[in-house]
Amino acid sequence: MQSAEISSRAFRFFEQRGHTAVPSASLIADDPTLLLINAGMAPFKPYFLGEAPPPWPRAASVQKCVRTVDIEEVGKTTRHGSFFQMFGNFSFGDYFKEKAIPWAWEFLTRPVADGGLGLPESKLWVTVYTDDDEAEHIWRTDVGVSPDRIQRLGMVDNYWSMGVPGPCGPCSEICIDRGPEFGPEGGPDTNGERYLEIWNLVFMQNIRGEGPAKEGYPIVGELPAKNIDTGLGLARVAAVLQGVKTIFEIDTTGRILDLAAELSGTKYGQNSKDDIPLRVVADHILASVMLIGDGVTPSNEGRGYILRRILRRAVRMMRLLGAQEPVVHELTTRTIDVMSPTYPELAKEQDRIHGTAVGEESAFLQTLKSGTAIFDLAAKEVRTSSSLILPGDKAFQLHDTYGFPIDLTLEMAEEQGLSVDEEGFRRLMAEQRARAKADAAARKTGGHGDKTVYRDLLQLGATEFTGYDQLESEATVRGLIREGERIPAASEGDIVEVVLDRTPLYAESGGQESDAGTIVADGLELEVLDVQKVARKLWVHQVRVRRGELTEGQEVLAKVDPEWRLGARQAHSGTHVVHAALRQVLGPNALQAGSYNKPGYLRLDFSWTGGLSLETRSEIEEVSNIAIRQDLPVRAVYTSLPEAREMGAIALFGETYDEEVRVIEIGGPWSRELCGGTHVERSSQINELILIGESSVGSGLRRIEGYVGLEAYRFLAKERALAMKISDLLQVPISEASERVSALLKQLRDAEKEVTQLRAAQLKRLAGEFVNDVMDVQGVSVVARHLSEPANNDELRKFVIDIRDRLGDRPAAVTVTTLSNDKPIVVSAVNDKGRERGLKAGDLVRVAAKVLKGGGGGKPDIAQGGGTDPLATVDALREVTRVIGEAVRP
């Protein structure tokens, strides 16, 4: 049975039982606690948490999910992947265990001809929470599962919570016995590979308190409504029904895996050395396509970093498997072909998906190709500091900033006679993971915490936003909140959250900062510090009480700072204008991928490969200002999302929209975007628009920044003042300043080049002198001298090689010391004939470095080292000469 058929059967089964079929949400979570959707229930969290009333009492969905907590383990087990689809049926206070348990069993075991999956009852096992007698009773008496196939497990395995105070409850898992080839018998408690979990039923009925994430936290009460949250792993069920051993071999992922094997010249199933990388490639390419399809672009932070990491990991695996040419276009084409029957939007966005994925592959292949240059720069810095160990932070930088694999860094270090501080690298990696976990925990606690405090306020209805056409609104204080709890009043100096029934103050969203303003009444003044939305319906104002006392139920006047709003409107409308100008100049593929604006300032991220020339930036700026000068009308249109798309309105990937959407038009079809922000009434009100910068923020992603209105004028004034100052310093007209600066820079470069040439000539002359001072040690020409001229590692290395080459074909060994930054360094070189006599450069350097109270090493032909005792150079060279005499064979 194909994966799509499993999904459609699940939907039909539960729709017949009163569930509303809900399409998959975007992988980009509309949730401050998550970077990406990682569970089927995640889009429904506001309903479980009581932050918003559920639109339906029962729902069913197949949700696409991404988890990358243990990305290194992907492919090593038969059942874990970074991308997966989770079917679930959900009840929001409607039904509970008495229906969820029998329905799950019925769907799994009902004959295929009758709409079920036809799994044999004799192979199914059940687990329940250790003290959940109710669930076990239903399994035994209502469903008829034999007691010897029901196991009780503890909190880690069979109890669910979000890891923070809030809803929680016991679980019951359904597992299938895949047979003795997967491990010993004994049930799910014995072996998770053999007894594969395919469906988890969560009975969300309790409230947990503070404590560890997995177990050991207190259960402090019961939820007012008992909820059902289930998760059926689509890939796992497909593997069982299709008779394959792993989730990587099913009808979807398996086709990607087969192509990866073909492109790399390998064959799946012949050896685990190739099988694991092939599984990784199939899984990671699938996850990458789904992420890009939902609007994620590669970057060095957040969800963009997750995409970059898994896509580059897939490319690296293909290289290890033997693929030398670019492969991502073919792999993404296969993936879109496999997944578009279920997610048709992938086919519509295939050009963008290909462009993003191929651009990232090209960037990474260039990194690998130019890896020697990147590494050499780091290695040069190491040698200059008289060390032979590449610091952990350098290796981490290569990995974190350039996506350079650590194994490649280790290999290149060894080739250059260097070692890597792996312990330091691993420590920094661990610190990064710890920061990521702490950040996730902070998002959980700060983003969600216990938001049941808003439940009652949400039930009173949504906050009415009046700010599109008003700067002041009379309002009633519905609630006051401090540190997550309702309070009756607040006094002067307090910082609290205020919920009003109506407000003109814009809540931060869509890239636009929240409004500044005040809330006043007789004897009361509140400074508005921030405005945020809860469940997209409740405006929550963070305020400081400047004067008076604030009480719940009080009548107030909410006021927007008019200057702030003017600047914010100019900046947000300016962002739309720049986006339209980008698309006009660069073409329709220059799509917005994120934005930020505040009074006077705008920033726009957009999909594009390669930097923009000064001429292109000037053209974009000119198109923008022409549109402003044309005084184009700005209009807001309210319509449905399908109608908005039909109009050609641009939606920001990853954003979540209501059934009714707001479309902002500037000049009619010239600029049409879905947007809830505040805007000017005509384009001329934006005034001047100046672009101040353009840069890369990730592979295939550029950022453009600008000023509008008064900030643009201020920027131009500063630029003019700077130009005048440079003109005065150079004593030339402003129009000639650029040429004069260029001429001065050329003179400086020429002078630096001349110094370098003189330095090289001096060292070449000294090399000739050193050759004339050669010693014969048992038939080996030996030069062991100190260079009184200070030099860095690179200069000394070239100097020693020059001497060795001048000694001709006779056996030769050269060791020279010098000072670099007042610390001794040493380089040894041995020619072919010298190595035939038993001499190795690495050994000679280690001898000298020991005397210098340091360390060193390298290859037999060339090696380097350093120390801490600058007075020991003579003794070090004497010891090298002695060792050569003992080591050479007659």
Side-chain angles (χ1 to χ4, degrees):
M1 188 181 296
Q2 301 293 288
S3 299
E5 176 65 16
I6 299 170
S7 298
S8 62
R9 282 173 177 263
F11 274 125
R12 283 196 299 270
F13 182 89
F14 283 94
E15 282 180 305
Q16 291 167 2
R17 287 153 183 78
H19 293 69
T20 299
V22 180
S24 174
S26 167
L27 283 167
I28 301 178
D30 184 23
D31 180 339
T33 74
L34 298 172
L35 281 176
L36 297 166
I37 293 292
N38 62 357
M41 61 78 62
F44 302 111
K45 281 171 73 173
Y47 313 135
F48 290 128
L49 291 165
E51 296 176 5
W56 347 262
R58 304 176 179 183
S61 73
V62 173
Q63 176 63 46
K64 46 194 175 183
C65 307
V66 168
R67 287 183 193 166
T68 56
V69 177
D70 298 314
I71 192 171
E72 288 84 1
E73 300 304 311
V74 169
K76 295 179 182 178
T77 72
T78 65
R79 64 189 192 278
H80 292 106
S82 59
F83 174 82
F84 57 97
Q85 299 176 86
M86 190 66 73
F87 173 82
N89 58 288
F90 306 91
S91 166
F92 310 106
D94 185 16
Y95 62 85
F96 202 49
K97 300 177 188 177
E98 77 287 344
K99 290 184 177 177
I101 290 173
W103 280 344
W105 188 266
E106 182 183 357
F107 176 61
L108 290 176
T109 61
R110 175 181 276 201
V112 173
D114 296 333
L117 298 185
L119 294 178
E121 294 186 16
S122 61
K123 290 189 176 183
L124 297 180
W125 286 63
V126 171
T127 66
V128 297
Y129 181 55
T130 183
D131 63 1
D132 193 351
D133 296 335
E134 180 186 5
E136 185 182 23
H137 177 77
I138 295 172
W139 281 116
R140 283 193 293 103
T141 59
D142 296 358
V143 177
V145 178
S146 173
D148 62 1
R149 283 189 286 116
I150 302 175
Q151 292 184 333
R152 291 181 182 250
L153 300 179
M155 219 171 199
V156 172
D157 297 301
N158 275 68
Y159 207 90
W160 175 90
S161 83
M162 293 192 303
V164 294
C168 62
C171 307
S172 185
E173 296 178 348
I174 305 174
C175 306
I176 188 164
D177 182 359
R178 298 197 290 171
E181 65 177 301
F182 289 94
E185 61 182 352
D189 190 29
T190 301
N191 189 290
E193 281 287 327
R194 173 170 174 171
Y195 299 90
L196 183 68
E197 175 208 334
I198 54 177
W199 207 341
N200 187 19
L201 315 178
V202 178
F203 311 126
M204 209 180 295
Q205 62 191 54
N206 302 119
I207 301 173
R208 62 159 285 180
E210 292 283 357
K214 284 285 188 181
E215 61 179 336
Y217 49 80
I219 306 300
V220 297
E222 292 190 355
L223 288 171
K226 295 181 177 181
N227 306 306
I228 288 294
D229 156 29
T230 81
L232 174 78
L234 216 62
R236 293 187 180 188
V237 175
V240 170
L241 294 175
Q242 294 170 19
V244 296
K245 293 183 178 181
T246 76
I247 60 171
F248 307 99
E249 300 165 40
I250 63 173
D251 58 300
T252 52
T253 321
R255 290 185 57 199
I256 307 169
L257 186 151
D258 290 342
L259 179 59
E262 179 184 333
L263 293 172
S264 61
T266 58
K267 190 167 183 179
Y268 183 73
Q270 289 190 339
N271 65 77
S272 60
K273 181 177 176 293
D274 291 341
D275 287 354
I276 291 175
L278 286 170
R279 292 173 188 167
V280 171
V281 171
D283 171 82
H284 286 10
I285 290 292
L286 174 56
S288 298
V289 166
M290 302 306 293
L291 285 168
I292 298 169
D294 277 355
V296 181
T297 54
S299 70
N300 285 334
E301 58 185 19
R303 56 180 69 97
Y305 179 72
I306 291 173
L307 171 59
R308 166 160 289 169
R309 186 182 179 198
I310 61 176
L311 188 50
R312 289 191 170 197
R313 196 162 185 258
V315 173
R316 173 73 173 155
M317 291 295 178
M318 288 298 290
R319 304 287 280 191
L320 292 174
L321 286 166
Q324 297 303 313
E325 299 299 322
V327 294
V328 161
H329 190 279
E330 291 180 75
L331 289 169
T332 53
T333 299
R334 173 66 61 87
T335 305
I336 292 170
D337 180 54
V338 165
M339 299 302 293
S340 57
T342 305
Y343 303 100
E345 64 272 17
L346 295 175
K348 296 178 182 178
E349 296 293 335
Q350 62 178 342
D351 289 344
R352 182 178 60 82
I353 294 170
H354 287 322
T356 301
V358 171
E360 182 64 15
E361 178 190 37
S362 299
F364 184 50
L365 291 179
Q366 185 60 38
T367 295
L368 292 176
K369 183 178 180 181
S370 59
T372 302
I374 297 171
F375 177 85
D376 280 350
L377 183 61
K380 184 176 180 180
E381 292 177 5
V382 170
R383 295 192 194 101
T384 302
S385 64
S386 305
S387 173
L388 284 175
I389 302 174
L390 186 75
D393 61 341
K394 290 292 184 183
F396 180 76
Q397 181 186 25
L398 284 166
H399 167 82
D400 194 52
T401 305
Y402 301 102
F404 213 61
I406 183 61
D407 54 345
L408 193 57
T409 301
L410 291 169
E411 180 182 323
M412 293 178 65
E414 185 179 359
E415 290 174 356
Q416 295 205 23
L418 302 177
S419 60
V420 178
D421 177 13
E422 289 189 71
E423 183 179 342
F425 171 81
R426 305 294 177 194
R427 184 179 64 252
L428 290 168
M429 287 293 292
E431 289 174 4
Q432 184 188 62
R433 292 192 186 102
R435 285 194 300 270
K437 288 181 179 179
D439 182 55
R443 286 197 303 274
K444 277 189 176 182
T445 305
H448 258 299
D450 183 3
K451 288 197 173 177
T452 53
V453 67
Y454 300 114
R455 183 186 300 149
D456 294 340
L457 296 172
L458 281 161
Q459 289 176 351
L460 296 175
T463 302
E464 179 188 355
F465 178 62
T466 62
Y468 289 136
D469 49 25
Q470 295 180 20
L471 292 180
E472 298 184 0
S473 293
E474 294 181 349
T476 301
V477 178
R478 280 185 175 172
L480 301 178
I481 301 165
R482 180 166 53 203
E483 296 179 356
E485 294 184 359
R486 293 279 292 275
I487 57 174
S491 303
E492 186 173 324
D494 288 346
I495 295 178
V496 297
E497 293 180 354
V498 179
V499 176
L500 305 176
D501 63 339
R502 59 202 310 263
T503 182
L505 291 144
Y506 185 78
E508 181 182 353
S509 60
Q512 180 177 334
E513 272 199 4
S514 60
D515 277 331
T518 56
I519 300 174
V520 300
D522 288 342
L524 175 72
E525 182 181 1
L526 312 177
E527 176 190 2
V528 177
L529 306 175
D530 189 22
V531 189
Q532 296 291 329
K533 293 180 190 177
V534 170
R536 297 165 54 207
K537 294 183 178 180
L538 206 65
W539 266 241
V540 180
H541 308 73
Q542 186 187 58
V543 303
R544 177 186 287 112
V545 182
R546 284 180 174 170
R547 180 167 55 90
E549 183 177 65
L550 174 66
T551 60
E552 190 171 308
Q554 190 171 0
E555 299 297 323
V556 296
L557 180 67
K559 303 195 297 184
V560 178
D561 181 331
E563 283 299 314
W564 179 280
R565 174 63 69 82
L566 173 60
R569 293 168 68 204
Q570 290 175 320
H572 204 151
S573 297
T575 305
H576 285 228
V577 166
V578 171
H579 189 202
L582 279 167
R583 290 167 57 78
Q584 180 175 320
V585 173
L586 301 178
N589 287 333
L591 275 173
Q592 179 180 336
S595 67
Y596 170 73
N597 53 79
K598 63 181 181 178
Y601 171 82
L602 64 88
R603 183 181 77 205
L604 182 72
D605 295 343
F606 61 99
S607 303
W608 196 254
T609 55
L612 305 183
S613 66
L614 286 175
E615 292 77 9
T616 301
R617 284 167 52 184
S618 296
E619 185 179 357
I620 293 166
E621 188 176 73
E622 183 173 351
V623 169
S624 299
N625 281 293
I626 288 173
I628 291 170
R629 189 179 66 180
Q630 288 175 337
D631 196 29
L632 301 174
V634 180
R635 186 170 72 111
V637 179
Y638 293 87
T639 183
S640 68
L641 182 57
E643 288 175 349
R645 294 189 186 279
E646 195 68 29
M647 292 167 57
I650 298 172
L652 184 62
F653 287 107
E655 284 290 323
T656 304
Y657 299 98
D658 295 321
E659 291 185 11
E660 183 181 68
V661 296
R662 182 171 181 257
V663 178
I664 296 298
E665 291 184 342
I666 301 179
W670 185 71
S671 172
R672 259 188 199 130
E673 297 189 34
L674 273 65
C675 182
T678 59
H679 290 273
V680 298
E681 295 168 358
R682 302 191 70 84
S683 64
S684 61
Q685 294 172 352
I686 299 172
N687 293 335
E688 192 78 24
L689 188 150
I690 301 295
L691 297 182
I692 60 169
E694 187 268 339
S695 60
S696 170
V697 288
S699 177
L701 192 65
R702 308 294 298 181
R703 172 171 292 172
I704 200 163
E705 299 174 90
Y707 290 132
V708 295
L710 189 58
E711 288 301 318
Y713 289 120
R714 287 171 176 162
F715 176 79
L716 289 175
K718 289 180 181 178
E719 292 282 287
R720 181 178 61 184
L722 177 61
M724 292 175 66
K725 185 174 182 179
I726 292 173
S727 172
D728 289 344
L729 288 171
L730 298 176
Q731 297 184 344
V732 295
I734 289 177
S735 59
E736 298 176 13
S738 175
E739 290 81 357
R740 179 61 177 151
V741 169
S742 295
L744 288 172
L745 287 174
K746 184 178 184 303
Q747 291 176 19
L748 180 60
R749 285 192 296 268
D750 290 345
E752 290 175 343
K753 185 177 180 181
E754 185 176 350
V755 169
T756 301
Q757 290 172 343
L758 289 172
R759 175 76 171 160
Q762 182 186 26
L763 289 175
K764 206 164 193 64
R765 177 181 57 78
L766 288 172
E769 294 180 6
F770 276 41
V771 168
N772 293 330
D773 194 27
V774 65
M775 296 182 291
D776 185 283
V777 179
Q778 295 192 37
V780 176
S781 297
V782 175
V783 174
R785 285 191 55 178
H786 179 74
L787 177 65
S788 58
E789 287 288 326
N792 60 38
N793 273 291
D794 280 346
E795 289 173 334
L796 184 60
R797 189 183 181 95
K798 292 176 182 176
F799 181 73
V800 169
I801 291 173
D802 185 16
I803 296 171
R804 182 191 65 184
D805 292 345
R806 292 186 188 209
L807 293 175
D809 293 335
R810 53 186 171 172
V814 181
T815 299
V816 178
T817 59
T818 191
L819 297 183
S820 177
N821 298 321
D822 297 324
K823 289 185 179 180
I825 58 175
V826 58
V827 173
S828 291
V830 179
N831 65 9
D832 293 343
K833 292 288 181 65
R835 294 197 296 279
E836 290 175 4
R837 297 287 303 274
L839 297 177
K840 294 181 180 179
D843 294 341
L844 301 182
V845 155
R846 279 186 283 271
V847 167
K850 184 177 181 180
V851 178
L852 297 171
K853 298 179 182 177
K859 294 185 290 186
D861 62 328
I862 183 76
Q864 61 190 50
T868 58
D869 187 356
L871 301 178
T873 55
V874 174
D875 291 338
L877 294 167
R878 185 181 297 117
E879 183 65 11
V880 167
T881 304
R882 185 187 68 78
V883 168
I884 290 174
E886 292 179 354
V888 291
R889 295 187 296 269

